[in-house]
Amino acid sequence: DVVAAIMTQLSLKAGLKECDEEAYNVVHSEMKQLHYRNTFNPRHWRELSRAQKQTVLESHIFLKEKRDEKNKGRTVASGKKQRDYTSKEDASSPTVATESVLLTCIIDTEEERDVAVIDIPNAFVQTLVENEEDMAFIKLRGILMDILVQLAPKVYKDYAIKDKKGARQLLVQCQNALYGVMVASLLYYHKFVESLTDIKFVINPYDPCMAQKMIDGEQMTI
């Protein structure tokens, strides 16, 4: 089943159970790249205001097989809680219109254009959150915390604690956009649009998710 193959992803617990060593290596790689991208700023609970403590999100990591058949880990924040204080209008990024996709396909066919599909690796994590109010607080538990402490003990060790139930956890503030945080897609959209306009692409006035540029007398559409 092609759809099932595309959509299937494993939780950390299921991944470790199914392929212990490989799953651990994938998780280690994911946490390593998040650390080296300066995604996490460790914090003490006592540093947070009462209001900030109420916004702290849980984190999860999922394992998935990519198109090239390599396994990938993806860390996400459980952003459901944010719906209580962040409106959809303030956090939603534009989505390409169905009509734009259909019309572009017709033009591509009629003009015999070359078509390419690309993936931008770690798109969200490469997006810096400039407004501190948009920086989410998340809890990293168990093996995720252990890996970070192992990678950079001077950075994280003093912040690693146990909760009342004895579970290991690390509180961090996300300095980069993270999947699951409501504003992440909007922040990335703004960054991507800025990158396009910097190299003279023009955003379509009727659809903010389409951009065009003339290159050597030929039109490129994104």
Side-chain angles (χ1 to χ4, degrees), residues 4 8 30 34-35 43 66 73 80 83 91 93 104-105 115 123 140 143-144 149 157 213 216 221:
T8 297
E30 167 73 354
L34 289 173
H35 167 67
R43 301 290 296 270
K66 300 191 295 182
K80 184 177 180 180
R83 296 174 186 171
S93 66
T104 300
C105 289
V115 177
L140 299 167
I143 189 174
L144 304 184
V149 172
K157 187 175 181 179
K213 178 182 179 181
D216 296 331
T221 301

Side-chain angles (χ1 to χ4, degrees), residues 64-175:
K64 182 175 176 60
E65 186 176 284
K66 300 191 295 182
R67 292 192 187 106
D68 60 5
E69 298 185 352
K70 292 181 180 179
N71 290 319
K72 172 182 173 57
R74 173 175 291 175
T75 305
V76 302
S78 180
K80 184 177 180 180
K81 185 189 294 187
Q82 292 184 308
R83 296 174 186 171
D84 295 335
Y85 53 87
T86 303
S87 68
K88 185 177 180 181
E89 292 74 18
D90 292 335
S92 297
S93 66
T95 304
V96 66
T98 302
E99 294 83 357
S100 298
V101 176
L102 295 175
L103 287 171
T104 300
C105 289
I106 294 171
I107 294 171
D108 291 341
T109 303
E110 183 67 25
E111 297 183 357
E112 297 184 346
R113 291 188 177 188
D114 293 326
V115 177
V117 178
I118 65 169
D119 177 40
I120 301 176
N122 306 310
F124 283 12
V125 177
Q126 294 187 55
T127 303
L128 180 67
V129 182
E130 297 180 352
N131 186 349
E132 189 171 359
E133 292 183 359
D134 291 329
M135 295 181 184
F137 293 97
I138 67 169
K139 287 184 286 188
L140 299 167
R141 297 180 182 273
I143 189 174
L144 304 184
M145 184 202 81
D146 293 340
I147 291 173
L148 284 175
V149 172
Q150 179 188 23
L151 284 169
K154 292 183 179 179
V155 177
Y156 301 108
K157 187 175 181 179
D158 290 344
Y159 296 86
I161 63 170
K162 290 185 179 181
D163 62 19
K164 295 179 181 179
K165 296 181 180 180
R168 309 184 310 283
Q169 67 171 249
L170 176 68
L171 176 67
V172 296
Q173 188 175 25
C174 295
Q175 300 178 125

Side-chain angles (χ1 to χ4, degrees), residues 9-74:
Q9 58 183 8
L10 298 176
S11 67
L12 174 59
K13 184 177 181 180
L16 289 172
K17 183 177 180 180
E18 185 169 309
C19 44
D20 188 6
E21 184 176 355
E22 183 180 358
Y24 177 85
N25 291 336
V26 169
V27 174
H28 189 280
S29 178
E30 167 73 354
M31 300 313 294
K32 184 177 180 179
Q33 68 110 358
L34 289 173
H35 167 67
Y36 283 114
R37 290 187 185 277
N38 296 316
T39 303
F40 300 138
N41 177 27
R43 301 290 296 270
H44 289 296
W45 280 91
R46 62 176 179 271
E47 298 172 347
L48 275 60
S49 66
R50 182 177 180 182
Q52 287 175 324
K53 289 178 181 178
Q54 294 175 341
T55 68
V56 175
L57 307 175
E58 290 288 346
S59 66
H60 307 282
I61 188 165
F62 297 98
L63 312 180
K64 182 175 176 60
E65 186 176 284
K66 300 191 295 182
R67 292 192 187 106
D68 60 5
E69 298 185 352
K70 292 181 180 179
N71 290 319
K72 172 182 173 57
R74 173 175 291 175

